[in-house]
Amino acid sequence: MLLQTCSWLQAGVAVLELERSTDAQNWQKVILAPSSLNATGGVLQNTHDPKALYRLRIRDDQQSGFITALPLSEAPGETVEIAKQFVLEVLADGPETDGGDPEGGWIDAQLGPICYPVYDPAVDQGRTPAYLEFKLVRAAKPSARPSPNNPLGMSPPDLSETQHELGYLLVSLTQNDSPVPSFAQDGPTPVETLLRKARTTGPVKAVRLDEGLLVGENPEGEIVASLGNAPISIDPKVLEIVGKEFTGGDNGQGVQDDNRVEFPVRGHASYREFKADLLTNPFYAELRWLRAKNASLEWRGVLGNVPKSIVVPLNARTVLFDNRRVRSAELSEPGLAALTIPTGRNGLWVTGQKAGGAMLEVVFADGTFEHVLLHAGTLVPQLPTLQSTSAGWTAWKYWYAGGWSDQRRYQQYQNDPQMCTGGASGCGPAAWAMLYGWWDRKGSPRLLKSTSQADSPLYNDDSVLDCNRYVFDEVGPFCVNGQAATMPWNMKHGAKWAQHRNAGRDITWTWGVPYASPGSVSKAADAIKAGRPAIVGLGFYWHYPLAYGYKGRQYKTGSVVWNTQRYFKCNMGWGGDSPQWHNASSTWFATHARYW
């Protein structure tokens, strides 16, 4: 569902190309690479050819087919307001504020002059954008007039104003995903990074396939760049475990089995086959439905749309939704009332058991859902008047396991003869190496490099390679489409490296189905609250980063907490890039580990 009708989404598109000729007959396109531009935006050309002619060619939307960038002034107003409000709330939580973000990040930040449309094949068949990626820049400061003490008018030796790349903010244009699925407070935007990797001089269409996979397509729908891990297809039978989670551990005295289950997996013969699978496979369809259901309460909170309240008496049955067939119902506080779905009949039977209020989530037979505030044996509290979209939210709370400076900036190995000879070594081994590298510096110096010093390297070296190779053999990823994929039921075996290095250990892990694994979210959050980073699985089973920051806030109506918004700050395992905040709702794997 689109938030609003936007004329620019269907508007004609033009691409401007600069062409050069020496005879006015034969014209060649001038490639405007960043290296050919000067500081004022001029184009650097061969000075030995002063008689060259230049012209501007305008290509219409029949040739380009999509928008590569959008002026901020033309972006949908409601989406811009969501972005501005989110930035203001994060700015208010700077490091100098009580209870704010210790790492800060956005200082004097504002939305940049352009934003990038990002597409999803499952939204309008990929014809209209599903997200807008806003670039954050530092607000310009007015130049000070020369003072009598500075007759030459010299500028202070301060380069802080030139640091304009302050990350990005991804905002959904539909309610199929969270209002703000991800953001970062430093560096270029993901779309900009994607464009730098693109194997083309033509236009690129950014396509977001899940939390950890962004693809660039040319006008023919072929991949010209990607950022993230190769996707895999899991048998739809995995849906049989929706609502279940599997937990195990190793404390050095023994291993607790998680009684794992396994499901057939496969790669894809082509990108087109993968996109077709993404749209037709019941597994992905269910994940999109779960994602939208999880996002619905966040949208209510962001838009200030409080769910309606229903009062039921104590110790007496009340029939709700008597005109609809109910598939399932769940209370955020189970002991508040007894819920019964009558066999073969419409409605939901509710019997209040104790006074209080809670969120009731009801899923109907047709797959639609509704959230209401259920009050048992009590009057509905007077609702506050909402003055802004942020009214009702508690302040953000932040927790960190160290800082970004403590993170090891490891990345996957390419074409390693002992791992994947034809591609990358996998995000699973890289995530374990980053966890061990952190602990090597924080209490278990035998985990990387030497066995007696806290000397884990900042970037990949031979010791990191040894760890990756060992973990690779243990987790058993299979090499597919140029990358290694680690299954969630095998990821736990990476914990064996600590035993191999004779390190003391106490680790537990939990995994389940994306968007349906609250235990995994809680485990990672508890680890970070205890000052310990956590490996997490994000998206559609496709990526394992290392989370070292956690932030959360609640939406309250009276005494009832009916929505919780949570993010993990992640070292994505892509080398020296900056960290990213990702909405926690898709988390399906998590560790809580301590080493000594």
Side-chain angles (χ1 to χ4, degrees):
M1 179 179 67
L2 288 175
L3 289 179
Q4 61 185 72
T5 301
C6 311
S7 59
W8 65 268
L9 293 177
Q10 290 80 31
V13 183
V15 174
L16 305 182
E17 294 182 341
L18 185 64
E19 294 184 334
R20 175 180 177 274
S21 174
T22 57
D23 58 7
Q25 300 296 323
N26 301 299
W27 295 87
Q28 293 182 331
K29 184 167 68 173
V30 177
I31 305 302
L32 298 181
S35 59
S36 67
L37 303 178
N38 66 14
T40 61
V43 181
L44 301 176
Q45 286 293 293
N46 192 336
T47 57
H48 298 292
D49 192 9
K51 295 182 180 180
L53 303 173
Y54 292 87
R55 72 181 184 187
L56 197 63
R57 176 182 291 276
I58 302 177
R59 298 174 58 195
D60 62 22
D61 59 350
Q62 298 301 312
Q63 295 170 296
S64 59
F66 56 89
I67 300 172
T68 55
L70 181 73
L72 182 65
S73 60
E74 297 182 18
E78 188 171 55
T79 306
V80 173
E81 286 305 311
I82 291 173
K84 287 182 176 179
Q85 183 64 45
F86 194 91
V87 172
L88 287 174
E89 291 167 358
V90 174
L91 284 173
D93 287 336
E96 72 283 352
T97 59
D98 184 24
D101 185 352
E103 283 202 327
W106 278 341
I107 300 174
D108 297 327
Q110 65 181 21
L111 299 182
I114 61 171
C115 47
Y116 300 104
V118 179
Y119 297 76
D120 180 344
V123 174
D124 191 28
Q125 300 180 9
R127 292 174 298 199
T128 55
Y131 307 89
L132 279 184
E133 182 184 87
F134 293 90
K135 182 179 180 66
L136 272 293
V137 299
R138 196 175 305 282
K141 297 179 181 178
S143 300
R145 297 192 176 207
S147 68
N149 297 327
N150 182 13
L152 295 182
M154 299 289 288
S155 300
D158 180 7
L159 295 179
S160 61
E161 293 184 35
T162 65
Q163 299 169 356
H164 288 294
E165 289 193 328
L166 299 181
Y168 73 96
L169 186 69
L170 187 71
V171 180
S172 298
L173 286 167
T174 78
Q175 295 190 16
N176 298 309
D177 202 346
S178 301
V180 180
S182 67
F183 67 99
Q185 295 162 285
D186 185 37
T189 78
V191 168
E192 290 171 338
T193 302
L194 189 74
L195 292 176
R196 293 172 186 173
K197 296 163 66 75
R199 304 179 298 272
T200 180
T201 58
V204 176
K205 176 180 179 180
V207 181
R208 186 177 189 266
L209 300 167
D210 89 326
E211 285 288 331
L213 181 57
L214 184 68
V215 164
E217 295 182 356
N218 64 15
E220 289 71 42
E222 301 166 337
I223 286 186
V224 294
S226 67
L227 185 62
N229 281 33
I232 55 173
S233 181
I234 298 182
D235 193 291
K237 288 183 179 180
V238 72
L239 295 177
E240 296 172 358
I241 65 170
V242 170
K244 300 179 182 178
E245 292 185 83
F246 304 89
T247 296
D250 177 11
N251 61 7
Q253 305 301 314
V255 176
Q256 175 192 344
D257 191 7
D258 61 11
N259 298 315
R260 70 177 186 177
V261 292
E262 299 184 15
F263 301 92
V265 298
R266 66 178 181 88
H268 299 90
S270 68
Y271 179 60
R272 291 186 183 276
E273 179 192 300
F274 158 63
K275 287 199 359 180
D277 186 43
L278 189 68
L279 296 177
T280 59
N281 191 321
F283 171 61
Y284 296 125
E286 182 71 9
L287 292 189
R288 288 191 291 270
W289 180 81
L290 289 169
R291 181 176 64 185
K293 184 165 69 71
N294 286 342
S296 63
L297 285 179
E298 283 195 59
W299 277 107
R300 281 184 174 274
V302 167
L303 299 177
N305 182 12
V306 177
K308 68 179 181 181
S309 293
I310 297 178
V311 179
V312 298
L314 296 177
N315 305 315
R317 177 188 294 172
T318 301
V319 180
L320 304 180
F321 310 108
D322 55 0
N323 62 339
R324 303 193 67 179
R325 190 65 60 92
V326 175
R327 182 203 300 176
S328 65
E330 184 177 2
L331 270 172
S332 60
E333 187 179 342
L336 183 74
L339 307 179
T340 303
I341 301 174
T343 303
R345 297 175 57 180
N346 289 345
L348 175 68
W349 296 348
V350 181
T351 303
Q353 294 181 318
K354 66 177 182 179
M359 171 59 63
L360 172 63
E361 177 186 272
V362 180
V363 179
F364 300 103
D366 61 1
T368 59
F369 45 85
E370 186 170 342
H371 295 93
V372 299
L373 295 176
L374 185 72
H375 301 273
T378 183
L379 295 178
V380 180
Q382 184 67 34
L383 302 183
T385 301
L386 299 181
Q387 301 297 327
S388 71
T389 56
S390 63
W393 288 107
T394 61
W396 287 107
K397 291 185 177 181
Y398 292 84
W399 295 267
Y400 276 93
W404 177 242
S405 61
D406 299 310
Q407 287 295 303
R408 306 295 90 184
R409 320 291 170 80
Y410 303 155
Q411 58 184 317
Q412 301 178 44
Y413 288 88
Q414 298 294 321
N415 308 319
D416 184 80
Q418 296 184 35
M419 291 185 282
C420 279
T421 57
S425 56
C427 59
W432 279 110
M434 291 191 297
L435 178 68
Y436 291 129
W438 190 92
W439 276 104
D440 182 89
R441 298 265 177 169
K442 297 292 184 178
S444 186
R446 62 174 54 250
L447 280 173
L448 272 180
K449 221 173 178 70
S450 74
T451 58
S452 60
Q453 299 181 45
D455 57 357
S456 61
L458 182 60
Y459 297 104
N460 287 27
D461 73 352
D462 288 344
S463 69
V464 179
L465 177 61
D466 290 342
C467 179
N468 271 259
R469 286 174 170 173
Y470 186 94
V471 171
F472 184 94
D473 288 340
E474 294 296 334
V475 301
F478 69 98
C479 297
V480 55
N481 300 325
Q483 297 197 32
T486 302
M487 298 302 99
W489 47 83
N490 287 331
M491 183 62 177
K492 64 182 183 184
H493 295 306
K496 294 180 181 179
W497 171 259
Q499 180 181 0
H500 174 68
R501 300 283 287 193
N502 295 316
R505 60 199 179 275
D506 185 4
I507 179 173
T508 59
W509 56 82
T510 297
W511 71 274
V513 174
Y515 303 100
S517 298
S520 298
V521 179
S522 297
K523 183 175 292 293
D526 290 344
I528 295 169
K529 289 178 180 179
R532 304 162 185 169
I535 298 174
V536 294
L538 296 179
F540 291 178
Y541 281 140
W542 297 342
H543 191 53
Y544 297 98
L546 183 67
Y548 75 98
Y550 171 73
K551 61 182 289 186
R553 64 176 179 174
Q554 297 176 326
Y555 202 109
K556 291 185 177 182
T557 299
S559 61
V560 179
V561 175
W562 56 266
N563 185 28
T564 301
Q565 198 173 29
R566 297 171 290 193
Y567 288 86
F568 288 124
K569 195 171 192 177
C570 299
N571 180 350
M572 300 300 287
W574 295 335
D577 58 357
S578 55
Q580 296 181 1
W581 287 98
H582 283 266
N583 192 287
S585 63
S586 75
T587 305
W588 45 266
F589 179 89
T591 62
H592 187 160
R594 182 172 67 91
Y595 295 99
W596 59 91

